[in-house]
Amino acid sequence: MDEFDVVVLGGGPTGENLAERAHAGGLTVALVEAELVGGECSYWACMPSKALLRPVAARADATRVAGAREAVTGALDASAVLRRRNSFASDWKDDGQVAWLDGAGITLVRGHGRLDGERRVAVDTPDGGRRVLTARHAVAVCTGTRAALPELPGLAEARPWTSREATGSQTVPERLAVVGGGVVAVEMATAWRALGSEVTLLVRGRRLLSRLEPFAGELVADSLRESGVDVRFGTSVTEVRRDGPVTLILDGGGTLTADEVLFATGRVPATADLGVESVGLEAGKPIEVDDTGLAVGVEGGWLYAAGDVTGRALLTHQGKYQGRIFGTVIADRAAGRELDLAPWGRSVATADRQAVPQVVFTDPEVAAVGLTLDEAQRQGRRVRAVDYDLGGVAGAALYADGYRGRARAVVDLDRETLLGVTFVGAGVAELLHSATIAVVGEVPLARLWHAVPAYPTISEIWLRLLETYRG
């Protein structure tokens, strides 16, 4: 047996941040990882996907400015884009991440770890052995999620792409079918179309990006179509066959043939083979936690979870945020230090409920934080949506000829603060943190009048939204 103060299951960004904060609080920490240290985000999600998408945005920006567009005469160099993507995925080697763990004083244990009763983790090591770790204070589950595939005839045999293959492919398929209408689906449709694939996007519902403001999905759908993507709403796949190419049998009797098919149909928590039954939890389900990270329904106050596995906010930056807070909570409780449990206190992950930021790196980009209008209304809030054409801002007009975009602020009429903000347009990702600060800080609109945006920048959208609200 090996004994540590804290054992962390999962070496992605969430686990790394939790481990670092617990160690900084004076505790010994072991981190258990079955694959690459750095997790999904580093090798199969955030980093490689954005490396694929950045050349798309750069080329699109250049073609929308007179004088620059004349210099852009060719298509993207797919091989160069893929090589650059490989470098941002560290060529799928985790040497740098392991070195960081060593420098931070965190013990890495390679292998597949499972809960084995109270404060125990059993690890199947790569050499076929078994190692049992015990935790004096806490075990933290940070194992994230895995791609969810529907139960369709022939799907397993067809070897479909999930997000991993879509971000890691070393070749450009001539024809790519994408099933889904969420973030992975629209981002990968954007990237692979720009790299030369003939892309068909099959969406079961009637809109894209259904969790965001409706106009976000509408603008992205328009742009995808203009780029040459065949976007089909109200379409479901009933069967998949592969004999060389992939054939999708569609509801209604039609078929679609492609060289590869990406199923971007959601994620499920990685708890199916984690031993959660040994502590009274249900395999395959999220681990519900309170705002300090403690697992609900597990006695003894020793089991924590953070990141996507909790189902709270399935975004890397939110998992890292939880990791920072929950790791500090574990250290504070171990040392007997008082917690700060007030909303926005250092010991609670309040932002998970009220101020989650997200960027969708399509063309145009979508950047949003906080509540949508629909969410606010369903919560019974007295709100008003303030909309503005982003192309009407001087900075946006300078950014691109014929700039198209939209902004919305959701205002709490009782407090005159912002509950949510959404921007859609080229280059809006870098506007998001200002909106996040306004929402998290609950900055009164009267005070925002004194936050003067520089002229001529796209940030003048803030002034235009305030002017529209005041009338």
Side-chain angles (χ1 to χ4, degrees), residues 13-360:
T14 297
E16 289 176 320
N17 275 263
L18 190 148
E20 190 277 330
R21 284 294 85 201
H23 184 266
L27 304 180
T28 60
V29 182
L31 185 147
V32 181
E33 176 54 53
E35 294 187 285
L36 297 176
V37 177
E40 201 80 12
C41 177
S42 298
Y43 308 102
W44 302 287
C46 313
M47 294 305 290
S49 68
K50 302 321 168 268
L52 288 174
L53 287 158
R54 176 57 195 148
V56 181
R59 185 181 185 280
D61 282 349
T63 61
R64 293 177 185 137
V65 179
R69 74 168 61 95
E70 289 76 11
V72 181
T73 57
L76 291 176
D77 182 333
S79 61
V81 172
L82 296 180
R83 285 195 301 272
R84 184 173 186 267
R85 183 275 318 272
N86 293 351
S87 70
F88 275 97
S90 301
D91 293 309
W92 292 273
K93 298 176 183 177
D94 63 1
D95 298 3
Q97 300 274 12
V98 172
W100 178 86
L101 284 181
D102 290 342
I106 298 164
T107 300
L108 172 63
V109 178
R110 297 275 193 185
H112 181 74
R114 298 178 183 83
L115 295 172
D116 188 33
E118 185 172 341
R119 302 175 197 269
R120 287 167 52 97
V121 172
V123 183
D124 295 331
T125 58
D127 61 4
R130 180 179 170 89
R131 188 173 175 183
V132 177
L133 312 178
T134 60
R136 299 183 189 93
H137 297 291
V139 174
V141 179
C142 305
T143 50
T145 58
R146 60 175 179 80
L149 291 173
E151 293 185 5
L152 292 176
L155 182 59
E157 295 77 13
R159 304 182 304 280
W161 279 10
T162 66
S163 54
R164 285 197 169 194
E165 291 79 17
T167 58
S169 177
Q170 298 295 330
T171 58
V172 179
E174 183 177 343
R175 298 165 299 176
L176 174 66
V178 180
V179 181
V183 175
V184 172
V186 296
E187 286 190 344
M188 292 298 94
T190 298
W192 289 105
R193 175 61 193 141
L195 290 171
S197 290
E198 179 184 311
V199 177
T200 303
L201 180 60
L202 304 176
V203 187
R204 183 172 57 184
R206 295 294 176 181
R207 53 181 279 205
L208 301 178
L209 303 173
S210 59
R211 297 185 179 181
L212 298 172
E213 296 286 7
F215 62 83
E218 292 166 4
L219 288 168
V220 170
D222 289 345
S223 178
L224 285 170
R225 286 192 174 107
E226 289 172 7
S227 74
V229 175
D230 181 2
V231 181
R232 304 185 192 180
F233 290 107
T235 304
S236 296
V237 178
T238 60
E239 185 179 350
V240 183
R241 303 169 186 163
R242 182 187 281 272
D243 182 9
V246 179
T247 300
L248 307 180
I249 312 301
L250 308 179
D251 58 341
T255 63
L256 175 67
T257 301
D259 298 289
E260 300 291 350
V261 57
L262 162 62
F263 273 81
T265 48
R267 311 281 300 179
V268 293
T271 58
D273 188 21
L274 201 62
V276 295
E277 305 93 329
S278 71
V279 298
L281 299 179
E282 186 176 352
K285 300 293 185 181
I287 298 177
E288 182 184 354
V289 298
D290 66 17
D291 280 356
T292 69
L294 268 177
V296 174
V298 178
E299 295 182 357
W302 61 274
L303 184 64
Y304 290 75
D308 289 4
V309 75
T310 67
R312 287 172 66 99
L314 275 64
L315 293 158
T316 295
H317 44 271
Q318 289 302 124
K320 293 167 71 173
Y321 162 74
Q322 293 167 24
R324 294 190 296 270
I325 290 176
F326 300 165
T328 301
V329 165
I330 291 169
D332 285 347
R333 282 181 169 144
R337 292 186 286 265
E338 185 177 356
L339 302 185
D340 179 1
L341 300 176
W344 306 109
R346 78 172 192 283
S347 308
V348 290
T350 308
D352 283 349
R353 305 186 188 279
Q354 299 187 40
V356 175
Q358 179 177 12
V359 177
V360 185

